[in-house]
Amino acid sequence: MWPIDSDSTLPRKSVVDLKSADKLIADAIEELHLTAEIKGEIARDVYDAQNEATRTAIDSIVATLRKYATGYVSVQLSPPNGALVPVKIENEYLAFNLLYLAIEIAKDLSFLGIRLSEFKFPPSLCMQCGAELGIPEVRKRSRG
Amino acid sequence: VARKQALPKLKRGLSAAWEPPIRQLRAFKPVAGCEEAWKRYVDATEKAREELSVFYQINDRIDADPDNKTLRALWKESGDKFDRLLMAELGALDKYRYQVRHINDDKRADEEEARELVIETLSVSGEGLQFTLGQGLVAAKVAQAIRNDIIEAEIIDPVFCSDCEED
């Protein structure tokens, strides 16, 4: 048995310290919105760099995804072991996510030798993570 | 009736003057990659001309025996058959011309291949987005929506940041 010292000053976890589920969900939604905004920004940059025909093709992907999207996103509360709960997100943020997903689809297709219309990833952005590239950082490589 | 009978004769004269013989068509060297379409055209032409010669033969026999109803029925039947074969011949020629015109066009990508890639993207980048259909069906719908916009093309000089370059 471990000696129990009642006067110990070590911090102890109590029920009071645990976040309520509502608070966790609110935090998760906030994080989702933040992520969606960043994704939307990256996706918008890529979308704006395309020509009319490619935009139309991307629009058709977004329209198809939107048709079947429920508007809910599964989020994990306090990862990595928290519960997985469905959370309703606003249309605005859903649109960001769907546009990002459509761009990801176009990008992944192009990686594997299928080009969507005349899709071109802007050379000023990293094709993997979408980060803006400074000129000295630009490096090229080709994938099989 | 006399006019109707005179027409094939006139056609025969024109046909002999204008249409190149089959051997000449067979000797023609089609555009590389379109040989099959050209062969189909020549075959269709040969069939149509065979039927046309049958039609002319019946026509000559009608000239000799104008009251023979059986011959008239055969004449009509052969004429209809020739019409069909002529349409097939012209259709085959159109197909050959279309193929020649589009020989350098981009090759359309396989929809099924695109669907599989979309499934992968949905599962990797979907990040919890829920759909009313399973991922496979959503991917099929997406692939269907873009099937006329996807072509086979290698990616040119992809650019990565230093972090992603190392991965």
Side-chain angles (χ1 to χ4, degrees):
Chain A
M1 284 247 334
W2 291 98
I4 299 169
D5 180 8
S6 57
D7 297 330
S8 171
T9 52
L10 284 171
R12 287 187 181 178
K13 236 178 187 179
S14 70
V15 179
V16 182
D17 296 329
L18 290 174
K19 282 185 180 176
S20 70
D22 288 346
K23 176 85 174 96
L24 286 172
I25 290 173
D27 287 351
I29 290 176
E30 202 182 320
E31 203 181 316
L32 266 177
H33 286 176
L34 206 65
T35 319
E37 272 174 14
I38 295 166
K39 280 179 176 177
E41 212 171 292
I42 295 170
R44 180 54 62 181
D45 283 349
V46 179
Y47 182 84
D48 289 344
Q50 309 304 319
N51 65 6
E52 200 56 44
T54 314
R55 284 184 195 176
T56 311
I58 294 171
D59 288 344
S60 65
I61 298 180
V62 174
T64 311
L65 292 173
R66 185 183 287 277
K67 192 174 174 184
Y68 299 104
T70 57
Y72 281 87
V73 178
S74 303
V75 287
Q76 193 168 31
L77 305 178
S78 56
N81 302 317
L84 209 60
V85 291
V87 169
K88 175 101 177 136
I89 55 168
E90 286 169 35
N91 274 343
E92 188 192 351
Y93 297 103
L94 179 67
F96 292 154
N97 274 311
L98 295 181
L99 181 62
Y100 178 79
L101 197 52
I103 296 291
E104 283 292 304
I105 288 170
K107 195 176 79 180
D108 289 352
L109 286 172
S110 70
F111 269 135
L112 288 143
I114 298 176
R115 195 174 68 207
L116 178 73
S117 194
E118 287 162 48
F119 180 79
K120 276 180 195 162
F121 206 80
S124 58
L125 299 177
C126 168
M127 219 171 160
Q128 188 89 13
C129 63
E132 279 198 38
L133 300 170
I135 290 165
E137 284 180 283
V138 175
R139 278 198 258 164
K140 294 173 181 179
R141 83 172 168 186
S142 46
R143 286 188 169 185
Chain B
V1 173
R3 202 175 160 188
K4 218 173 180 182
Q5 285 176 5
L7 197 63
K9 282 181 189 168
L10 180 69
K11 269 189 185 171
R12 181 161 30 179
L14 291 174
S15 158
W18 288 349
E19 289 170 7
I22 293 290
R23 65 170 190 282
Q24 212 170 318
L25 290 177
R26 290 218 184 272
F28 175 74
K29 204 174 173 192
V31 174
C34 305
E35 292 87 355
E36 190 59 34
W38 180 255
K39 191 179 171 295
R40 268 191 224 121
Y41 162 64
V42 178
D43 290 346
T45 306
E46 197 169 12
K47 276 185 190 167
R49 290 197 189 169
E50 276 168 13
E51 191 53 44
L52 189 63
S53 73
V54 171
F55 179 76
Y56 288 148
Q57 281 169 22
I58 298 169
N59 204 59
D60 290 343
R61 285 167 68 190
I62 290 174
D63 281 349
D65 184 8
D67 298 329
N68 191 329
K69 284 185 181 172
T70 317
L71 278 178
R72 286 203 173 277
L74 280 173
W75 181 78
K76 191 180 178 309
E77 194 182 311
S78 174
D80 291 347
K81 191 176 176 188
F82 171 68
D83 282 349
R84 286 196 299 275
L85 290 171
L86 185 66
M87 291 310 287
E89 176 193 334
L90 295 175
L93 183 60
D94 272 350
K95 276 181 191 164
Y96 170 73
R97 288 183 60 204
Y98 180 87
Q99 216 170 334
V100 169
R101 212 179 307 135
H102 294 278
I103 193 135
N104 292 322
D105 285 3
D106 295 319
K107 197 179 169 197
R108 197 166 283 181
D110 183 29
E111 189 184 328
E112 179 59 28
E113 204 181 328
R115 189 186 73 89
E116 283 168 18
L117 289 172
V118 175
I119 292 176
E120 213 174 303
T121 308
L122 286 178
S123 58
V124 174
S125 310
E127 287 181 24
L129 273 174
Q130 292 186 352
F131 295 96
T132 50
L133 301 176
Q135 271 183 355
L137 281 172
V138 174
K141 298 282 180 191
V142 170
Q144 205 175 20
I146 57 170
R147 69 177 159 194
N148 292 328
D149 300 311
I150 47 174
I151 51 164
E152 285 182 8
E154 283 303 312
I155 191 167
I156 307 160
D157 295 336
V159 185
F160 298 96
C161 66
S162 45
D163 292 341
C164 296
E165 179 77 39
E166 283 161 16
D167 292 343

